[in-house]
Amino acid sequence: MTRQLGTMIICLIVPLFLLGGCSTSHEVEVKPVEIKPIHITIDVNVKVDKALDDFFGDIDAAEDKLETEKGE
């Protein structure tokens, strides 16, 4: 009889420990989001420089060609 009582107690206590280990609780605190103005600087010099290279590229190539012809 005591053995059955011990088995019943173990059968009742073990699930309590298993369920206690499976339950979790978390608290997430969300603070209000503050939106501040931002300043963005976009540098367009690269685009302008590339456009100038494309525009004057054929003139530079012709000048290089003339210099190589004079050098020979």
Side-chain angles (χ1 to χ4, degrees):
M1 180 73 176
T2 56
R3 186 173 183 185
Q4 288 180 344
L5 184 62
T7 305
M8 286 182 63
I9 291 173
I10 290 174
C11 289
L12 292 175
I13 293 176
V14 168
L16 290 175
F17 283 114
L18 292 175
L19 291 175
C22 292
S23 68
T24 59
S25 64
H26 301 279
E27 290 185 23
V28 178
E29 186 174 319
V30 178
K31 295 180 181 177
V33 177
E34 182 179 344
I35 299 173
K36 295 179 180 178
I38 57 172
H39 180 75
I40 298 174
T41 303
I42 300 173
D43 192 6
V44 294
N45 291 336
V46 175
K47 289 183 179 179
V48 171
D49 191 35
K50 187 173 188 280
L52 287 174
D53 286 344
D54 291 343
F55 185 76
F56 294 112
D58 53 342
I59 295 172
D60 292 336
E63 184 179 319
D64 290 340
K65 185 178 179 181
L66 287 175
E67 288 179 4
T68 56
E69 288 177 359
K70 287 181 182 178
E72 290 179 355

